[in-house]
Amino acid sequence: QSAPGLKRFIKKESGLTITEDESVDFQEGFFGRYPDFRPSYRRQIAFVRQHSYVESPFGHIRRLPSIASDNPAVAAEAERQSVNSPVQAFESTLAFIALAELSKYDPKNLRLVIFTHDSVGLENSLGPGRDKRRKAVKHIMERVVHDRVREIFGIELPFIPTVEVSTGPNLADMEEIKL
């Protein structure tokens, strides 16, 4: 993402106003902290320019024919999607595995409310066992998912997925809880 693009994104998403110089400093700080990211990013863009698709670690394919667009803004959007799409598909697969495992745990007291590529919202019934279910959800989404990825795909994740658990009366008023 360009420095002006990051500046606009930050303004849109957070309401904060930063200068282009601050945007450049942020980007340089990010790439300084994660030095392997920039070469990986460039390889991904080169791949999508050559093949017009990208693939997630689990084999999901996202076709991006707009990478060949003569319109620089359209091609730049396809570049961004080529980097984000495999990550989001990976996160979605982990979440789907978690949902399948959670459905076996306590379907009477845990109900899916919302799902995005990197977020699962569950309704946890009030009453006895509520704290136990919270802890079980975290365990399933971290440890069980890690093990199931190995079983299903033959991939040993080099990390244990981490999950933040939040609670509240509705999605707008959630607060993170430590388990």
Side-chain angles (χ1 to χ4, degrees), residues 14-75:
S14 69
L16 297 174
T17 301
I18 65 170
T19 67
E20 273 190 41
D21 287 342
E22 289 170 325
S23 178
V24 169
D25 289 346
F26 176 82
Q27 289 177 317
E28 292 306 316
F30 175 85
F31 289 121
R33 183 169 184 182
Y34 303 102
D36 294 338
F37 185 80
R38 188 171 273 163
S40 172
Y41 181 90
R42 288 183 179 139
R43 281 191 304 274
Q44 186 74 353
I45 290 173
F47 182 90
V48 77
R49 284 180 181 157
Q50 182 178 0
H51 300 285
S52 298
Y53 75 90
V54 293
E55 191 171 347
S56 80
F58 295 131
H60 298 100
I61 291 176
R62 168 97 186 257
R63 301 195 187 286
L64 294 165
S66 58
I67 193 68
S69 175
D70 292 333
N71 181 326
V74 171

Side-chain angles (χ1 to χ4, degrees), residues 44 54-57 81-91:
Q44 186 74 353
V54 293
E55 191 171 347
S56 80
Q81 291 172 351
S82 77
V83 174
N84 291 349
S85 185
V87 174
Q88 291 173 341
F90 178 76
E91 292 171 335

Side-chain angles (χ1 to χ4, degrees), residues 134-146:
R134 287 176 179 159
K135 290 176 183 172
V137 165
K138 184 171 177 62
H139 173 76
I140 289 168
M141 294 187 76
E142 293 178 345
R143 301 293 178 161
V144 174
V145 166
H146 180 270

Side-chain angles (χ1 to χ4, degrees), residues 72-140:
V74 171
E77 177 64 14
E79 287 179 359
R80 187 193 65 73
Q81 291 172 351
S82 77
V83 174
N84 291 349
S85 185
V87 174
Q88 291 173 341
F90 178 76
E91 292 171 335
S92 288
T93 301
L94 295 181
F96 278 126
I97 293 169
L99 289 172
E101 295 300 319
L102 288 166
S103 72
K104 299 174 197 174
Y105 175 70
D106 191 349
K108 290 172 72 177
N109 290 303
L110 290 172
R111 185 175 66 90
L112 178 65
V113 177
I114 190 168
F115 170 76
T116 64
H117 67 275
D118 64 353
S119 183
V120 174
L122 301 169
E123 183 177 75
N124 183 5
S125 298
L126 296 172
R130 188 168 200 203
D131 287 335
K132 181 181 175 187
R133 286 189 297 275
R134 287 176 179 159
K135 290 176 183 172
V137 165
K138 184 171 177 62
H139 173 76
I140 289 168

